[in-house]
Amino acid sequence: MFSFFKKERRESLLRWKDEASLGRRRVLLLSSRQFDRELNRERLRATRRSIPFCLLTVELLTKAGSTRRSTNKQNRQLVDLLLRNLRVTDEKGILATFRYGVLLVDTPEMGGRAVLDRLARLTSAAGLEVRLNLQVHDPNGFGEDQENNQDASGDRRADDRRRDDPADSEEAWVRLASTAAESPAPTEPSTLSHNRVQSSIDDITLAGSQQQSSQAGLWLKRGIDVVGAGIGLVLAGPAILGAMAAIKLTDGGPVFFRQTREGQNGRPFTILKLRTMIVDAEKFQAELRAESHRDGPAFKISRDPRVTKVGHFLRATCLDELPQLINVLTGDMSLVGPRPLPWHESRACERWHRRRLDVRPGLTCTWQVNKAKAVTFDDWMRMDLRYIDQLGLFQDLRLIAQTVVVPVTGRGGE
């Protein structure tokens, strides 16, 4: 009995030394208990809303004969790699000595595979020997009444909710094991060796993930933003000047509306718009909150009494949004990306909504050209996340082309 407690105390002391060696990085990681709490919370949320997520475990393999000092250095290097190359909304925690967990919220299996493949390449390039394991939680893969919750067309009714996880939690997890179909399922996920990286899935190359992680793709997108914003300001310059004159002549107030929005990685910035409402309109928003037709933190109201006569025209033709081309030139925004929310509304969003902050906000996106399809605020957020998952040059060009039609049809003020 005494030897058992002595062993436990020695392991706890070693674990404390390992965590202490991380320095300031430690405060950016959850403890094992905190991580387990977040994992259970995500499982319940994903089950209720039928949203998949992934759990990725990363374990540093210590080399034979290596000193503790060199191992601690590799451990800090691995933690830095995780913090710099994963999304802000992904929860990261310490599971055990040299073993970490990453909770990939609102991420399907293919997204988890992309993250695992990317980490495999990054750790291999850094000379780190790690073991990666991926588990997928897919609520659509279980449930007794799955067939009964469908209507005649075969589609699931939007108001149906999944029940909580079954008693056997293992049924809710899809383990990605070896590709040998005829071999019996092992008790532990089998591993495949790849460039000193052990993985629980096949090593695959995803064109989409390469495009997203490619610096060349990011520079190309930024180049298109700068050129497009420059050309747009030149062409739209006369229209902007005319709108500014109309605003000034009607009520004499400021022509620009400035507001703090939350940008990429949660960084605040000031957005520019042509003023379409009365002066100090934000002071009256609390009185109109009950009339908002948008659920969630976003405030949207049809026939807003604060909008001026000139403002109605500017909104319908989207002329009020053109000054944001300046935000594109300064790098705060992109031509295409999730629409930035006001600071207080964005901070009130749920955690899975905030994955939209992984990219620069934009002038237009999927929601901007398909507002009618976003019945709820969650639908709006899913449109943004779907855009991020399918990020690509052709998709941006298609959305820009669709956006040009919006002011022509007068749907900008919807």
Side-chain angles (χ1 to χ4, degrees), residues 54 104 107-116 206:
C54 297
L104 305 174
T107 303
E109 177 183 340
M110 293 301 293
R113 286 174 177 264
V115 174
L116 186 142
L206 299 177

Side-chain angles (χ1 to χ4, degrees), residues 167-236:
D168 185 4
S169 60
E170 291 297 323
E171 292 180 5
W173 290 92
V174 179
R175 287 189 179 272
L176 302 177
S178 62
T179 57
E182 297 179 359
S183 60
T187 56
E188 293 294 333
S190 59
T191 57
L192 302 174
S193 178
H194 170 65
N195 291 340
R196 295 186 298 172
V197 177
Q198 296 183 8
S199 167
S200 63
I201 65 173
D202 296 335
D203 178 53
I204 58 176
T205 301
L206 299 177
S209 66
Q210 284 185 338
Q211 185 179 16
Q212 293 181 31
S213 61
S214 168
Q215 287 296 327
L218 295 178
W219 280 110
L220 178 60
K221 182 177 176 63
R222 179 57 186 156
I224 294 176
D225 288 342
V226 173
V227 174
I231 296 175
L233 284 174
V234 172
L235 296 178

Side-chain angles (χ1 to χ4, degrees), residues 95-115:
L95 302 182
T97 303
F98 304 141
R99 188 166 178 262
Y100 305 94
V102 181
L103 183 59
L104 305 174
V105 298
D106 192 28
T107 303
E109 177 183 340
M110 293 301 293
R113 286 174 177 264
V115 174

Side-chain angles (χ1 to χ4, degrees), residues 61 70 83 108 179 197 223 252 255 303 311 314 322:
L61 302 178
S70 63
L83 295 176
T179 57
V197 177
V255 295
R303 297 181 181 179
L314 295 179
L322 291 179

Side-chain angles (χ1 to χ4, degrees), residues 9-22 60-77 96-100:
R9 182 181 179 184
R10 183 170 63 253
E11 292 180 353
S12 299
L13 181 61
L14 290 175
R15 186 180 299 110
W16 178 83
K17 288 182 177 180
D18 294 336
E19 295 180 2
S21 67
L22 295 175
L60 178 64
L61 302 178
T62 57
K63 301 178 182 179
S66 60
T67 62
R68 185 165 187 81
R69 183 176 181 180
S70 63
T71 303
N72 286 336
K73 182 179 179 180
Q74 289 185 336
N75 188 37
R76 291 191 294 270
Q77 187 178 2
T97 303
F98 304 141
R99 188 166 178 262
Y100 305 94

